[in-house]
Amino acid sequence: MNSKKTVFALLCACSAWSASAQDYVFPEVKDHNKTVRELFEVKDYDLKHHFTIATGKGSYLVFEMERLSAWKGKEDFFRYTETILPVLAQYRDSLTRRPMSTKRLDIHIPVQNTPLISRFSEHMINSNLQALNDKETVALKMTLDTLRIVKKFEDRKIQGEQVPEHFQYTFFVKNLADVKELLADKSWLNHSAGLIDSVVTAYRKEWRSQDAWFHHLFVSYDPSRSTKKQLLVTRQLSEQNGVNTQDMISFSAGFGAGLVRNTICPTADIGLQLTFYSDHESTFFTRLSMNSFTRFEEQTGQRFKAYATTFVNAELGFGVNRSNTKLKPYSLSMGFGYKLLNKHQADRDPSLPRYLYRLFFNYDLGKGIVITPEFYSDFASKATTRGWGGLSVTFRLFE
């Protein structure tokens, strides 16, 4: 009898605990490794604007940010490089011992700029390499040391979501102990900050929306190169095995005039371009576009009726990469178009066949002017095939 009472009591206790547990909020399980990783490294796909600046001594800085609007001027660049000097002093002994090891120092600067959080690591991989000649043996260091600074700003609220904001400085140097000397070089700092500021200012003027998701900048400066190649500015998305992908998707629109059967007609053009290959000299792209020309026909009473004819086109072409300042910017593409049928018979141009096709070449003379030789035909199998050549000039409003 007692055992039955005990079992019953246990069941009642379990039932009561289960009821109370429904109101209990369990603590959140956090990934501590992820938290630390986010302190010292910004995700690559969040960083859209990259500046690689060589020091002229075999080392260089990669300065990156998520949006152009984060750049407030040269003063911020100086402020955050100077902020870390006490941290470098703290690690002075670690940076100077074992000169052949590979070292890395990560520093996080929070929104309030204090306290600074740092992490130091050291690796002895390939630290025993040596070069031997007739006179002496020299130790070899095959890798560069790394200093990475992540500066965190206040999150921005965009479309109801909190979006993080960062600067990321990454110094690649032969010896991490020399970074303090580099940061004390006011001339180099001023030149580097001025270079970033000039490029940011130029693209703020060129881009209608400086923080649009599709904007990317890759800027490279190396004083050891020839004068014309010291500064290279591209809008690439990636570079792998020498293959660059530049502004993968871009939109363009324009207007102009075309010669259609010995008649000058106003024209309009809109298109969506996909660039699938790019290097420092050339780009290859495909484009989907719509273009239209309007022919005016005189009717009785000195009235004119407008007939609009629209084509859907597919193009394939190549162009000179505008990052190469030695070459004139132009592109050449070949395309094929199909005439759309007007919904109402009365709106169809009576001088044109019902089905009409267009073969054309787009030659971009520069930024904004496109010359297009073209040929129209219905490609009928009968001997009465109608076809003619034409020429149009288009002024691109933007691209």
Side-chain angles (χ1 to χ4, degrees), residues 298-370:
E298 186 175 3
Q299 297 183 333
T300 57
Q302 295 184 340
R303 294 183 178 180
F304 289 86
K305 182 174 177 58
Y307 294 102
T309 303
T310 302
F311 289 82
V312 176
N313 313 290
E315 303 173 41
L316 185 66
F318 72 93
V320 169
N321 194 332
R322 291 172 182 167
S323 67
N324 190 329
T325 56
K326 296 189 302 181
L327 299 175
K328 185 178 180 180
Y330 75 93
S331 66
L332 177 66
S333 64
M334 180 179 69
F336 183 80
Y338 171 74
K339 182 173 77 74
L340 298 178
L341 295 179
N342 298 78
K343 185 176 181 180
H344 303 290
Q345 178 68 35
D347 296 330
R348 299 173 187 170
D349 192 333
S351 67
L352 302 179
R354 179 180 177 86
Y355 299 102
L356 188 63
Y357 304 91
R358 174 177 178 251
L359 181 66
F360 62 93
F361 295 88
N362 275 339
Y363 182 73
D364 191 343
L365 291 178
K367 189 175 181 180
I369 303 177
V370 183

Side-chain angles (χ1 to χ4, degrees), residues 32-188:
H32 297 289
N33 291 330
K34 179 182 178 182
T35 302
V36 173
R37 189 166 57 248
E38 289 176 349
L39 281 176
F40 299 117
E41 188 170 348
V42 185
K43 295 177 181 177
D44 289 340
Y45 56 77
D46 285 335
L47 295 167
K48 297 182 178 180
H49 307 296
H50 313 257
F51 296 80
T52 302
I53 303 172
T55 66
K57 301 177 182 178
S59 57
Y60 54 97
L61 161 68
V62 179
F63 175 76
E64 301 166 292
M65 52 187 167
E66 293 158 308
R67 279 166 287 278
L68 283 192
S69 61
W71 179 259
K72 306 303 181 185
K74 297 192 295 183
E75 293 74 16
D76 277 1
F77 185 87
F78 293 131
R79 181 181 299 117
Y80 303 124
T81 52
E82 292 175 355
T83 298
I84 69 161
L85 294 179
V87 180
L88 292 175
Q90 177 187 353
Y91 284 96
R92 180 174 58 252
D93 293 340
S94 298
L95 301 181
T96 54
R97 69 169 178 247
R98 289 193 290 270
M100 301 313 297
S101 66
T102 301
K103 304 176 182 67
R104 173 166 179 157
L105 177 60
D106 295 287
I107 303 174
H108 176 84
I109 306 176
V111 176
Q112 300 82 5
N113 294 330
T114 186
L116 301 182
I117 304 172
S118 61
R119 176 182 64 180
F120 177 77
S121 60
E122 185 177 13
H123 303 282
M124 302 298 293
I125 300 174
N126 294 329
S127 61
N128 59 348
L129 295 176
Q130 295 182 341
L132 174 65
N133 58 25
D134 295 336
K135 297 182 179 180
E136 60 181 347
T137 300
V138 181
L140 294 179
K141 183 174 181 178
M142 303 297 291
T143 57
L144 294 175
D145 292 345
T146 304
L147 168 64
R148 172 163 287 172
I149 308 166
V150 174
K151 166 56 187 168
K152 179 72 170 68
F153 297 96
E154 288 280 1
D155 290 351
R156 299 175 55 193
K157 192 170 184 179
I158 300 178
Q159 296 180 351
E161 295 185 7
Q162 294 296 117
V163 179
E165 191 83 74
H166 299 89
F167 278 175
Q168 181 168 282
Y169 304 74
T170 307
F171 290 88
F172 297 96
V173 295
K174 292 181 179 179
N175 192 332
L176 202 52
D178 298 333
V179 168
K180 188 173 181 179
E181 179 183 349
L182 178 63
L183 296 181
D185 187 344
K186 300 301 181 183
S187 175
W188 181 82

Side-chain angles (χ1 to χ4, degrees), residues 150-313:
V150 174
K151 166 56 187 168
K152 179 72 170 68
F153 297 96
E154 288 280 1
D155 290 351
R156 299 175 55 193
K157 192 170 184 179
I158 300 178
Q159 296 180 351
E161 295 185 7
Q162 294 296 117
V163 179
E165 191 83 74
H166 299 89
F167 278 175
Q168 181 168 282
Y169 304 74
T170 307
F171 290 88
F172 297 96
V173 295
K174 292 181 179 179
N175 192 332
L176 202 52
D178 298 333
V179 168
K180 188 173 181 179
E181 179 183 349
L182 178 63
L183 296 181
D185 187 344
K186 300 301 181 183
S187 175
W188 181 82
L189 286 174
N190 187 64
H191 185 270
S192 300
L195 185 150
I196 297 170
D197 190 64
S198 62
V199 174
V200 170
T201 301
Y203 277 89
R204 278 176 173 169
K205 293 178 181 178
E206 179 174 337
W207 291 337
R208 176 178 297 180
S209 174
Q210 62 175 325
D211 292 335
W213 64 270
F214 49 83
H215 286 325
H216 295 77
L217 274 178
F218 284 75
V219 181
S220 175
Y221 173 75
D222 188 347
S224 65
R225 294 176 180 171
S226 63
T227 304
K228 293 183 178 180
K229 290 187 177 181
Q230 284 186 355
L231 178 63
L232 294 175
V233 182
T234 67
R235 292 154 66 176
Q236 302 158 353
L237 288 179
S238 63
E239 181 174 347
Q240 295 180 349
N241 301 322
V243 177
N244 303 324
T245 304
Q246 178 187 25
D247 267 359
M248 294 186 68
I249 298 177
S250 58
F251 178 76
S252 62
F255 69 94
L259 182 64
V260 181
R261 284 191 165 180
N262 298 320
T263 301
I264 301 296
C265 301
T267 62
D269 175 273
I270 60 173
L272 189 67
Q273 179 172 310
L274 170 66
T275 301
F276 55 86
Y277 174 88
S278 175
D279 58 25
H280 287 300
E281 294 185 353
S282 58
T283 61
F284 292 87
F285 61 88
T286 182
R287 185 170 183 262
L288 293 177
S289 63
M290 292 182 64
N291 84 294
S292 178
F293 63 81
T294 302
R295 190 180 70 86
F296 295 91
E297 184 179 80
E298 186 175 3
Q299 297 183 333
T300 57
Q302 295 184 340
R303 294 183 178 180
F304 289 86
K305 182 174 177 58
Y307 294 102
T309 303
T310 302
F311 289 82
V312 176
N313 313 290

